[in-house]
Amino acid sequence: MTTATPTVLLVHGAFADAASWSGVVAELQSSGIPVVAPPNPLRGLASDAAYIASFAAQIDGPVVLVGHSYGGALITVAGTTENVVGLVYVAAYALEEGESLGELQGRFPLSSLVSNLKEWTYPVPGGDPVVEVTIAEAAFPSVFAADVPADVTKVLAAAQRPLAAAAFEETAAAAAWKTKPSWALIAGADQAINPEVERFGAKRAGATVVELEGASHAVAVSQPKAVADLIRAAVRATS
């Protein structure tokens, strides 16, 4: 335990950017909690987790890592960083060591996300083009943000950040929840990740769980106060 208030490091997931945390950031700042929301490269589990771990290690004092969606897989690995004192999963994947996103998802019926991905490619120096995915724009509101106003959802759909497809097959090098306390928010109406996947991972991690029955995958956008409340609980418990 430490007497310093931990800094909250918010890790966004695929098909989003750090602006998706805006409401949560405002809530935490209003409580005097230091908070940062760096960009998530979305290029692969190992490299993205290394980026987040490096970012966390350069923060003075304790850190609470918060991961949304794919960001949950990243905090699972990056959370082994020495100054990380807690993990918060928001509609997120909590992987086991040696497990991939595809393996965890495959234990349960697939969400409607899987059939609504659009493939793109991007160049890598000296190699073949690499596949990345976004959510088909027409499907984005129902899959990602069913409880967000339509005008906001149109903007979110247009501003998606693609995820490298290989990220679904990479395995987690560690599972920080084995040694760090964790919290989890389950989005009960999630169409991007089957809520059963979120519940299973949270239970396995021994997380303190809050479930929001009608919440979409974009719960940080639609219900920032509820998300911030869980983060505040984690900050209190680790202060």
Side-chain angles (χ1 to χ4, degrees):
M1 285 297 193
T2 171
T3 52
T5 300
T7 296
V8 172
L9 195 166
L10 301 168
V11 183
H12 68 80
F15 323 123
D17 61 21
S20 60
W21 291 115
S22 297
V24 175
V25 170
E27 282 281 341
L28 296 175
Q29 288 177 338
S30 73
S31 301
I33 295 169
V35 56
V36 288
N40 173 355
L42 301 178
R43 298 295 75 165
L45 202 157
S47 62
D48 294 344
Y51 179 84
I52 296 301
S54 169
F55 201 101
Q58 293 174 72
I59 293 171
D60 287 335
V63 171
V64 169
L65 286 181
V66 181
H68 174 248
S69 189
Y70 166 67
L74 302 188
I75 69 169
T76 297
V77 178
T80 57
T81 307
E82 199 177 338
N83 62 329
V84 172
V85 293
L87 310 166
V88 182
Y89 294 91
V90 178
Y93 297 102
L95 296 180
E96 170 63 282
E97 186 175 347
E99 185 176 57
S100 70
L101 298 175
E103 281 174 317
L104 177 53
Q105 281 190 155
R107 298 175 180 212
F108 301 91
L110 293 176
S111 70
S112 53
L113 170 78
V114 180
S115 57
N116 285 292
L117 291 175
K118 181 178 178 182
E119 290 195 355
W120 309 74
T121 60
Y122 63 96
V124 288
D128 294 326
V130 177
V131 175
E132 61 182 7
V133 291
T134 58
I135 301 172
E137 216 159 312
F140 188 92
S142 62
V143 170
F144 198 87
D147 57 352
V148 175
D151 56 337
V152 176
T153 308
K154 276 182 79 170
V155 174
L156 295 176
Q160 290 181 66
R161 296 259 325 271
L163 174 68
F168 290 104
E169 306 308 324
E170 276 189 66
T171 58
W177 47 258
K178 291 181 174 177
T179 55
K180 313 272 172 97
S182 60
W183 290 258
L185 187 149
I186 313 301
D190 201 329
Q191 296 296 316
I193 300 177
N194 184 337
E196 287 299 328
V197 173
E198 298 170 20
R199 291 185 195 107
F200 174 82
K203 185 178 180 185
R204 181 171 63 180
T208 301
V209 175
V210 170
E211 179 146 351
L212 297 181
E213 203 173 318
S216 79
H217 192 60
V219 62
V221 178
S222 62
Q223 300 195 46
K225 185 182 182 300
V227 173
D229 283 346
L230 185 63
I231 297 169
R232 280 188 275 250
V235 167
R236 279 195 300 271
T238 54
S239 293

